[in-house]
Amino acid sequence: MQTTITVRNGTFPISKTQVFHGITVPWETLGYAQEQKLADTSGGFFDLTHYGTVSVVGPDAADFLHRMSTVDIKKLVVGQIVYGAFLTGKGTTIALGLFWRMAEQDFKILVSPPQKGGLLEHLDKFHFAESLELKDSSEDFDVYGIWNINAFPPESSPEGFVWADPRRPLLTWVAVIKSDGPAFLEKAKSLGWPLLGQRLFQFYRIEAGVPEMGEELTSSDLILEGNFNEAVARNKGCYPGQEVVERIFTYGQVNRKLMRVEIVGTWPQLPKLPYALVENEKTVLTLVSCAFLPSEPGRAWGLAFVNKHLWSRTEPWIVDGGVSIRIRPETVSKES
């Protein structure tokens, strides 16, 4: 069984591990509520070494990624990192992640665990005579996420490749060469940085409305249904799915989109996700993720696909056991 680095070496206390997408991760370290309190006041870091890294390297790497992805690679400068996606010709989503131009001809794509194999297969399928190399670089880097980096003194700034998350202001990503991973952890421990669990990371992700393939998005979903427009660069030229995406931007809207919801109350039995809410024999809302607030077990944030005619609804839906589901104020999704 594959494990993250903190589970393997036991450098930090971990109160609960969990198999997450086939990888054993630190699910809780000091306790869910205590971790949130620390994260929001004095900061902490997440072990994200279960994330996958796909490399596209070579003289034709930029042109290949420019025509294959939603990212305007020609405008991506060395060191810059942006969200982007790969789509089918119908505009549905194959992969969604962070595109990193590490060098002029060296690109890394950071994706959540379920995406790595499918992304490599997809890129290899459309790679013909281009002068480039595709490979799984997950073992080359250890990835961490620092939460609330401004809570740490400037002299404790992390070493490695560091960038701010475009959607989550308090999240700073750090990628270090694999051989430097243990040194990063030792430094974090000596500086008193608390390790935070994956359960809290998922809570913050859902709170910010950041979708993940294999969680909220599937290969049947349009990229714009994910309500994450910053993953799509407008007017960059052709790529698979571009006609569908631009038609939606220009002439209308998707029929449903992923929205943040608030859930209050206690279900008699937690529903299996996805949970469809039906009115007049039609599904009006489909809950696809749910994360309870650390300090309020009867309250949760979730992500749900909501039908277009209900996007402005303010009153809650009341479901089993008096549980209410209410659309939260929209997180602005920037257009590139």
Side-chain angles (χ1 to χ4, degrees), residues 59-103:
D60 295 335
D63 286 341
F64 177 71
L65 288 174
H66 189 79
R67 64 180 174 82
M68 286 295 297
S69 75
T70 61
V71 176
D72 192 342
I73 297 293
K74 294 179 180 178
K75 293 183 179 178
L76 195 67
V77 300
V78 173
Q80 187 179 5
I81 297 169
V82 298
Y83 278 108
F86 295 93
L87 310 180
T88 68
K90 296 180 179 180
T92 55
T93 314
I94 293 169
L96 171 67
L98 287 159
F99 286 61
W100 170 20
R101 191 166 198 163
M102 188 175 178

Side-chain angles (χ1 to χ4, degrees), residues 4-320:
T4 55
I5 187 171
T6 51
V7 173
R8 287 197 304 272
N9 67 14
T11 310
F12 291 82
I14 299 172
S15 62
K16 182 180 180 180
T17 62
Q18 183 162 311
V19 177
F20 187 68
H21 297 304
I23 303 169
T24 302
V25 302
W27 191 246
E28 293 183 19
T29 57
L30 305 170
Y32 191 33
Q34 185 180 352
E35 289 169 48
Q36 186 202 27
K37 185 176 180 180
L38 279 171
D40 290 346
T41 55
S42 55
F45 78 100
F46 298 99
D47 177 359
L48 303 177
T49 53
H50 57 299
Y51 270 63
T53 305
V54 171
S55 285
V56 185
V57 182
D60 295 335
D63 286 341
F64 177 71
L65 288 174
H66 189 79
R67 64 180 174 82
M68 286 295 297
S69 75
T70 61
V71 176
D72 192 342
I73 297 293
K74 294 179 180 178
K75 293 183 179 178
L76 195 67
V77 300
V78 173
Q80 187 179 5
I81 297 169
V82 298
Y83 278 108
F86 295 93
L87 310 180
T88 68
K90 296 180 179 180
T92 55
T93 314
I94 293 169
L96 171 67
L98 287 159
F99 286 61
W100 170 20
R101 191 166 198 163
M102 188 175 178
E104 193 64 30
Q105 299 180 3
D106 186 348
F107 297 84
K108 312 298 181 195
I109 306 161
L110 184 68
V111 292
S112 56
Q115 303 183 67
K116 183 177 65 176
L119 175 56
L120 276 167
E121 182 180 343
H122 172 73
L123 295 179
D124 188 56
K125 181 179 178 181
F126 290 95
H127 163 40
F128 301 108
E130 296 91 356
S131 178
L132 57 84
E133 179 188 14
L134 300 172
K135 72 170 188 173
D136 178 358
S137 295
S138 304
E139 293 304 313
D140 296 343
F141 299 93
D142 282 339
V143 180
Y144 306 95
I146 298 178
W147 193 261
N148 201 4
I149 194 170
N150 291 330
F152 299 110
E155 60 269 20
S156 65
S157 296
E159 298 174 1
F161 305 97
V162 181
W163 69 94
D165 187 88
R167 172 69 77 98
R168 289 162 281 186
L170 290 179
L171 177 62
T172 300
W173 295 83
V174 181
V176 299
I177 302 299
K178 195 77 171 180
S179 58
D180 294 334
F184 175 93
L185 293 181
E186 288 298 333
K187 179 179 179 180
K189 188 173 183 179
S190 68
L191 293 170
W193 296 1
L195 173 66
L196 307 170
Q198 185 65 205
R199 183 181 181 186
L200 185 63
F201 183 80
Q202 294 301 319
F203 168 77
Y204 285 140
R205 181 183 66 78
I206 291 169
E207 181 184 39
V210 178
E212 274 192 1
M213 291 294 297
E215 290 293 320
E216 294 82 18
L217 290 180
T218 73
S219 57
S220 299
D221 298 319
L222 295 169
I223 184 63
L224 296 184
E225 290 179 326
N227 201 15
F228 205 64
N229 294 1
E230 55 261 57
V232 178
R234 300 290 309 279
N235 304 315
K236 57 152 281 188
C238 293
Y239 58 88
Q242 185 254 355
E243 288 186 7
V244 176
V245 169
E246 287 302 320
R247 193 180 307 126
I248 293 171
F249 272 129
T250 304
Y251 297 111
Q253 297 172 318
V254 289
N255 291 322
R256 62 171 196 159
K257 67 180 176 182
L258 197 65
M259 302 187 75
R260 304 183 310 155
V261 295
E262 178 186 28
I263 304 158
V264 178
T266 303
W267 262 294
Q269 182 176 354
L270 285 175
K272 182 180 179 180
L273 300 179
Y275 170 79
L277 178 60
V278 178
E279 288 183 345
N280 300 320
E281 300 183 347
K282 292 184 179 180
T283 299
V284 294
L285 176 149
T286 303
L287 184 68
V288 290
S289 58
C290 176
F292 287 94
L293 273 67
S295 56
E296 299 180 57
R299 190 169 171 229
W301 301 144
L303 292 175
F305 286 103
V306 181
N307 289 6
K308 179 169 60 176
H309 68 283
L310 295 167
W311 292 347
S312 60
R313 178 179 170 127
T314 56
E315 65 271 24
W317 287 275
I318 306 299
V319 296
D320 303 341

